[in-house]
Amino acid sequence: MKAIAIQRYGAPEGLAVIDLPVPAPAAGQVLIATEAAGVGGVDTVIRSGALAAYGFKEGFVPGSEIAGTVTAVGDGVDASWIGRRVWAFTGTGGGYVEQVAVPVREAVPLPADLSAADAVTLGTSGAVAHFALAHAHFAPGETVLVRGAAGSIGIMTVQLAVRAGAAAVAVTTSSAERGDRLRKLGATRVLDRSGRDDGVPGGGGGDGSGSGSDGGTEDAPAGYDVIIDIVAGHDMPSFFDLLNPNGRLVAVGVVAGQPPADFGTKLITAFQRSLSFATFSADTVAAADLRAVRIEQFAAAGRGELATVVHELLPLEEAVLAHRKMDAGEVFGRIVLTP
């Protein structure tokens, strides 16, 4: 079968199509014929070589979530799984393949009205967004800022914060067009990448996308109770200045790289404001809780209550192009590879 492997860490061109044997499902596993594989931010970070110290070697197959149809089962797995459409978590990698074997506990049945492509825009990102807000102790009536909202995690965080009763949901993004799309998903305030409006064409909307009740200075919160940060990087400490007293910033990604080593100094300097910083990984959530949230979110998306945003469908063989688009910041939502 075809697969995509990282032959050289660094640029997207280090990805290559390889041949692998079709896996046989071991005890407790199901074999899935892949219909869609999500391209995530973590895939590009791994491919860049930034996480080489964590044991990733050349030859690694990226991709952490797929959707498709179960074609075989291993010992101890009910044969009724065969023929079922499922979403599955493949771990830190292994998803850019035509067929994949995963533990049955990582497979979640899909409703009939949800496509495989939609499932891989939601399966990981929806759960991360849900539990990140919980990790931040978000409460109805609080204000939320989503930093780096144009990706699948950010898009889901916006929607879930609105559904949970946020008083305002601000976003940072890079263009007026993206700002408009985020407003349609529930954002009430659009800011530039710095989290401020300075120097943005059009003034109050942050991306030149409106004023007044549509995002201008009149309705701008003085600060935010919760910031969900998918970006991190050098500028992360400046966002502590945008927190209200008792505000919480939760980092769920590092797509712009690690923050400065001394970023905690900012919190100590603002000691009297009782600010908090935390990281969040879905690895710390009980499997049963992740499964329950995914089942609920897949059903909600099937009913049209949650929007899944597929930026583009590309053949599996076009993984290099997918990663180029990711590196260039062109993606709104998620690119999906189709074997």
Side-chain angles (χ1 to χ4, degrees), residues 275-297:
L275 305 181
S276 299
F277 168 80
T279 58
F280 171 74
S281 167
D283 289 345
T284 60
V285 180
D289 294 336
L290 284 169
R291 187 178 188 84
V293 165
R294 284 171 174 145
I295 289 172
E296 188 278 326
Q297 290 183 345

Side-chain angles (χ1 to χ4, degrees), residues 189-213:
R189 178 81 175 159
V190 178
L191 306 173
D192 64 18
R193 284 178 169 175
S194 73
R196 296 171 174 81
D197 295 330
D198 302 306
V200 178
D207 278 309
S209 51
S211 60
S213 62

Side-chain angles (χ1 to χ4, degrees), residues 106-158:
E106 300 291 358
V108 179
L110 294 176
D113 45 9
L114 189 69
S115 72
D118 287 334
V120 296
T121 71
L122 176 59
T124 294
S125 59
V128 169
H130 173 91
F131 288 105
L133 287 168
H135 200 66
H137 301 286
F138 165 75
E142 291 190 314
T143 55
V144 178
L145 170 62
V146 183
R147 184 177 177 226
S152 56
I153 294 175
I155 287 169
M156 290 310 305
T157 304
V158 169

Side-chain angles (χ1 to χ4, degrees), residues 223-225 243-248 272-275:
Y224 301 94
D225 301 304
L243 286 171
N244 289 332
N246 297 306
R248 295 86 71 194
Q272 291 178 311
R273 293 169 56 211
S274 300
L275 305 181

Side-chain angles (χ1 to χ4, degrees), residues 62-333:
S64 63
E65 61 184 313
I66 62 95
T69 300
V70 176
T71 59
V73 299
D75 290 344
V77 179
D78 195 314
S80 66
W81 278 93
I82 297 174
R84 298 176 79 174
R85 298 175 60 251
V86 298
W87 171 93
F89 179 62
T90 59
T92 54
Y96 291 10
V97 293
E98 292 183 310
Q99 299 186 66
V100 61
V102 301
V104 68
R105 66 178 180 272
E106 300 291 358
V108 179
L110 294 176
D113 45 9
L114 189 69
S115 72
D118 287 334
V120 296
T121 71
L122 176 59
T124 294
S125 59
V128 169
H130 173 91
F131 288 105
L133 287 168
H135 200 66
H137 301 286
F138 165 75
E142 291 190 314
T143 55
V144 178
L145 170 62
V146 183
R147 184 177 177 226
S152 56
I153 294 175
I155 287 169
M156 290 310 305
T157 304
V158 169
Q159 294 183 77
L160 294 181
V162 171
R163 291 181 88 200
V169 180
V171 294
T172 70
T173 191
S174 59
S175 71
E177 185 270 337
R178 291 184 172 201
D180 288 343
R181 295 182 71 177
L182 287 163
R183 287 181 190 281
K184 291 174 183 176
L185 293 168
T188 57
R189 178 81 175 159
V190 178
L191 306 173
D192 64 18
R193 284 178 169 175
S194 73
R196 296 171 174 81
D197 295 330
D198 302 306
V200 178
D207 278 309
S209 51
S211 60
S213 62
D214 191 33
T217 55
E218 292 88 342
D219 70 337
Y224 301 94
D225 301 304
V226 170
I227 296 177
I228 303 297
D229 188 347
I230 303 144
V231 180
H234 184 270
D235 294 333
M236 190 190 77
S238 67
F239 282 80
F240 293 135
D241 295 334
L242 302 183
L243 286 171
N244 289 332
N246 297 306
R248 295 86 71 194
L249 187 152
V250 176
V252 300
V254 291
V255 295
Q258 299 289 339
D262 63 349
F263 75 87
T265 303
K266 194 85 169 180
L267 293 171
I268 298 299
T269 302
F271 195 91
Q272 291 178 311
R273 293 169 56 211
S274 300
L275 305 181
S276 299
F277 168 80
T279 58
F280 171 74
S281 167
D283 289 345
T284 60
V285 180
D289 294 336
L290 284 169
R291 187 178 188 84
V293 165
R294 284 171 174 145
I295 289 172
E296 188 278 326
Q297 290 183 345
F298 287 148
R303 295 191 299 267
E305 296 169 9
L306 284 176
T308 55
V309 180
V310 177
H311 178 84
E312 188 174 3
L313 294 172
L314 290 172
L316 181 67
E317 296 87 345
E318 295 291 338
V320 170
L321 177 59
H323 277 238
R324 284 176 184 158
K325 290 174 179 282
M326 291 285 287
D327 285 1
E330 298 176 6
V331 180
F332 185 89

